[in-house]
Amino acid sequence: MSQSQTPPGSPMVRALFRAVPVTPADGRAQSLSAKVYYPAVYTGSDLENNTGSLPMAPVPGRCPLAILMPGINVSPEAYAWLAIELARAGIVCLTYGWVLEEMPGMMALSPGLDIEALKPSVYGQRPSATALAAVIDELARLNEAGPLAGRLDLDRILLGGHSAGGSVALFNARPDWFPGLRAVFAYGAHSKASTMLGYPADTLLPLPDVLPTLIMGGSEDGVIAASVFRYGDDGQQQPDPVGPLRRSFAEGLGGERGDCHLAILRGANHFSLCWPQDSSTGRPFLDWPETRENPVIRGDVAALVLDFARTWLCDDGRARTRLRGALEDDQRISEAATR
């Protein structure tokens, strides 16, 4: 009999697939596809060899959680690399994909967005994240049965997102709406309001400003630069690829909390967060070239996200020190601020 190439006791990251029931505003029951990454251990049992289902690795206490909200028409597999890094650090991470028609005649892979909730007369009065409650409920179900039962800390959730998913995360970073949220991060996202929703040109939506916040982006973000017409800014001669992020941080967040950070990564673009990159969907054809190697950029993103997560989910003082040091590294960060 041949022996397994993986010796018993080996740590690894494994994932569970889930079909998550969701009922959006129109009342039509749907489901989204979720993948939950967790730190696992292979013990060599017959059950593991037969089913591929591995138990969670022994970690002290319950694991904090992360939810990653995707950009429009960006496959959740593009964020698997970051989900794996979080799981290796002991943070169980959920990614998801949801195909739906949020605008008439436009089917898209979406983070789940109630556009009506962003209109001037409604914004800030109800959630605009149509998937978030459902995925949190699914994490609660996973905590009741299966390999993750009793191992998840539903009171320590990091909410994150990319592009439109990042904006949805920022708009809905409110524990009064979604209990358990402890911190929020976004990459390539901002809070400028589309004039199509009825806002005057150059309107910046206020953010909840109740959680530790990390707003990240790239100095070479061609997608944001090409999208200024949405916000009535198309008269600019040279659109600023990071201006909307800078203003969202400086003006959208109201107070001087000391736990909110802006980090513009030198040489990164809008899709630097995604790997492998897929040119067949989304809007990568608008992006500007990266001026640093993508694996290096993603390593910088992972370090920022992990230290931010460890700081606010795990009360890790060493992570807080590393985070501050990373924000001061002008070889990797072209612009940073804390408030």
Side-chain angles (χ1 to χ4, degrees):
M1 180 181 295
S2 62
Q3 293 184 344
S4 168
Q5 294 181 352
T6 304
S10 297
M12 60 182 71
V13 171
R14 298 287 289 176
L16 305 172
F17 290 99
R18 309 291 287 189
V20 181
V22 187
T23 303
D26 61 13
R28 295 180 297 176
Q30 301 180 28
S31 66
L32 58 83
S33 175
K35 191 173 182 181
V36 183
Y37 299 79
Y38 66 98
V41 62
Y42 174 61
T43 70
S45 73
D46 290 341
L47 179 64
E48 293 166 15
N49 294 339
N50 189 43
T51 66
S53 178
L54 271 60
M56 194 167 181
V59 295
R62 297 189 177 192
C63 285
L65 306 169
I67 297 169
L68 300 185
M69 309 184 87
I72 298 292
N73 283 329
V74 181
S75 167
E77 293 301 320
Y79 311 110
W81 71 272
L82 181 56
I84 289 170
E85 290 297 323
L86 286 162
R88 283 177 178 156
I91 301 170
V92 173
C93 183
L94 182 148
T95 65
Y96 67 89
W98 191 13
V99 177
L100 72 165
E101 185 179 20
E102 286 179 329
M103 292 186 288
M106 182 178 174
M107 298 295 296
L109 188 65
S110 170
L113 174 62
D114 180 359
I115 294 176
E116 293 296 317
L118 296 182
K119 290 187 174 180
S121 62
V122 183
Y123 178 72
Q125 299 176 37
R126 71 170 192 247
S128 57
T130 53
L132 188 50
V135 298
I136 292 174
D137 287 346
E138 188 62 31
L139 289 168
R141 284 189 285 270
L142 284 167
N143 204 31
E144 294 174 354
L148 309 186
R151 306 296 302 279
L152 308 181
D153 190 340
L154 296 163
D155 292 324
R156 290 190 292 160
I157 301 175
L158 171 68
L159 179 62
H162 168 229
S163 193
S167 293
V168 175
L170 293 172
F171 293 151
N172 293 273
R174 289 182 51 167
D176 56 334
W177 287 350
F178 302 102
L181 297 187
R182 293 278 292 272
V184 60
F185 79 89
Y187 182 94
H190 56 82
S191 67
K192 295 208 75 173
S194 171
T195 55
M196 292 180 63
L197 295 177
Y199 288 97
D202 198 30
T203 296
L204 194 78
L205 296 180
L207 296 173
D209 197 22
V210 294
L211 293 177
T213 301
L214 173 62
I215 296 178
M216 296 178 293
S219 64
E220 313 304 313
D221 194 322
V223 175
I224 287 180
S227 301
V228 294
F229 68 93
R230 295 178 174 179
Y231 317 108
D233 298 342
D234 46 334
Q236 296 183 20
Q237 293 296 317
Q238 293 183 329
D240 185 349
V242 301
L245 280 70
R246 185 187 301 117
R247 287 191 57 201
S248 297
F249 179 79
E251 302 170 39
L253 295 171
E256 296 289 338
R257 299 170 46 91
D259 58 7
C260 297
H261 311 284
L262 173 71
I264 305 301
L265 284 93
R266 190 177 299 280
N269 64 20
H270 193 76
F271 287 97
S272 291
L273 188 67
C274 303
W275 184 85
Q277 296 190 1
D278 181 357
S279 63
S280 69
T281 63
R283 298 191 295 159
F285 51 86
L286 296 174
D287 225 350
W288 296 350
E290 296 172 319
T291 61
R292 290 195 296 143
E293 293 294 325
N294 178 265
V296 176
I297 293 171
R298 285 190 289 110
D300 294 342
V301 171
L304 287 168
V305 171
L306 286 171
D307 283 332
F308 179 73
R310 290 182 176 118
T311 296
W312 301 112
L313 300 183
C314 307
D315 195 23
D316 186 333
R318 290 177 297 179
R320 187 193 302 253
T321 300
R322 288 194 301 268
L323 178 61
R324 289 174 177 168
L327 293 171
E328 295 172 357
D329 185 348
D330 60 7
Q331 297 300 309
R332 300 180 177 186
I333 305 295
S334 64
E335 184 175 343
T338 296
R339 58 179 306 167

